[in-house]
Structures are given as C-alpha cells and as structure tokens.
Amino acid sequence: MHIKSIPMWTGTGDNYSYLIIDDKTKDTMIVDPAHPPEVLPVLEKEISENGINLKAIINTHHHHDHAGGNNGILARYPQLQVLGGKDCEAVTHKLADQEIFKIGEGITVKSLHTPCHTQDSICYYVEDSGDKAAFTGDTLFIAGCGRFFEGTAEEMHKALNTTLGSLPDDAKIYPGHEYTKSNVRFGKSVIDSPAVQSLVKFCEENTETQGKFTIGDEKKHNVFMRVDDPVIQEKTGEKDPVGVMKKLREMKNNFK
C-alpha cells in the first residue's frame, strides 16, 4: 500500500486529499479531491508516470471542501465510482457502517460511520499486509476533532473514543485538514503534558503532520480522546465523559 498526500493549500487553504494505491495492481482510489485544479495535475502525472488505475472517489462527508470537487474530477474521469454518505456530491454507492471493500488485491477498507460533524461522516480504516491507516475527514484531527455541526457531544465521544479508539494503536492518522498547530496550542492550555509538549516541538519543526501520528499517539496528546483524565476533568469542571467532551468543544470554539 502506498499513500500519497495531496495538500490543497491554494484551493481550500488547509485541506488534504489522498491517493491510496495498491502496489501490485496499481489500482487506486482518491479521498476527498475537493479542489480539482490542484488534484487533476497530480492524477495525470501519477497515471502517465506511474501507471495507476484510478477506480473511485472516496468521500468522508458531504461538505464542499471535501466532496465539492467530485463533479470536477468526474468530468475528466467519468468512469469513476463515488463512495460515501448519502449527501455526497454525485455519490454512486452509499456505504453502510462497517462495510468492507477492496482496493486492488491487497488493500482492505472498512467504512466506519462517525456521525457528529455531519450526519453522513464516514471514516475509513485501511489495512494491507500489516500496514494500517485511518482516513478521518473532519471527525479526528491530529490533537483535535471537528465541530459538532450536525451532532452532539455524545456522538463525538462515541466516534472518537469508541469507534476510532478501538482501532489498532499503530494505525496512522490521515485527517482532512492541517489543523495541528492550532489544535496543540489549545491542548497545551488544557493539559501541558510531555506528550503535548512533544507534539508542540514536532509542529515547530514540520509543516505537515498527516501520517506521522497514530491512534495510540492521539490517545496520549489529543485532549478529546482523554476525557477520563482527571486533570482534564478538573479543567472542564465535568466528570462524565460526554460532559467533558461538550465542555472541551465549547472551550476550543472560543479559544484565541
């Protein structure tokens, strides 16, 4: 399995799209190609130089900065399937929770419904010969989580700490945005732990953080995945995990 990141810094400012490529067959799917002017040149180069076989678009949710480029990609590659939630642009296959599909011969993908940021939010757990990755859209960011636009703190707690939290600790995280610097600034204001300090240092030395951290790392430095931590409970004034989640999101929304 090869994962290629496509930062879309000019079109959307801080979004990522990703190519997931099966090394043997070159079969490929693309995650959230939101800005075709930045994505199409990469696709054309990968097809002409590396011989990838583009099969489908995968969407994490329907927001324009994730699924809004689907029709632009389809105008160039009309044969593609579009896999995602019911509200995604031009969707051809609406994925059920826990539905499994393949990319090429080696890559297994499981769709994980994680409603909250939107009700059609889907994360994807990807495995190939021991390599593990999670494409988490706007549900889980490095050291953060998405806003609760269409859902509740209870839903986000389930999404992060049950659904994603039960994935293998060595699964690498590929989020929908590069928000890590602002997320860790907030995290440090809540709990100034060694794990948070380590992430602060990494952000000082690196611009991109996708694929550099794992589910296990998030359990250490992501305050939204540490709702049982007594220090964080004291900071929020809440004990119940859902109450902690709700308060943390309110604090993050107002954080300067």
Side-chain angles (χ1 to χ4, degrees), residues 155-166 219 222-228 241 245:
E155 286 178 316
M156 186 58 81
H157 174 55
K158 180 181 178 182
L160 293 183
N161 298 312
T162 301
T163 303
L164 296 176
S166 66
K219 291 175 180 177
N222 190 328
V223 294
F224 295 95
M225 294 186 77
R226 296 188 61 82
V227 291
D228 293 322
M245 178 69 70

Side-chain angles (χ1 to χ4, degrees), residues 192-238:
D192 193 11
S193 66
V196 170
Q197 291 169 9
S198 177
L199 183 57
V200 169
K201 186 174 187 299
F202 185 91
C203 288
E204 289 171 351
E205 298 170 354
N206 297 273
T207 302
E208 299 180 18
T209 59
Q210 79 285 15
K212 304 297 184 184
F213 298 96
T214 64
I215 290 288
D217 294 325
E218 292 307 300
K219 291 175 180 177
K220 296 174 183 176
H221 63 218
N222 190 328
V223 294
F224 295 95
M225 294 186 77
R226 296 188 61 82
V227 291
D228 293 322
D229 188 310
V231 175
I232 295 174
Q233 290 177 344
E234 184 176 357
K235 189 77 172 186
T236 60
E238 300 284 346

Side-chain angles (χ1 to χ4, degrees), residues 116-117 136-148 153 156-157 159-160 164 179 183 186 218 222-225 245-246 248-250 252-253:
C116 182
H117 180 72
T136 56
D138 285 5
T139 295
L140 171 64
F141 301 121
I142 307 301
C145 71
R147 288 177 181 263
F148 307 170
M156 186 58 81
H157 174 55
L160 293 183
L164 296 176
Y179 286 163
N183 285 341
F186 170 69
E218 292 307 300
N222 190 328
V223 294
F224 295 95
M225 294 186 77
M245 178 69 70
K246 184 174 186 289
L248 282 171
R249 187 65 254 183
E250 291 170 355
K252 178 66 166 66
N253 290 348

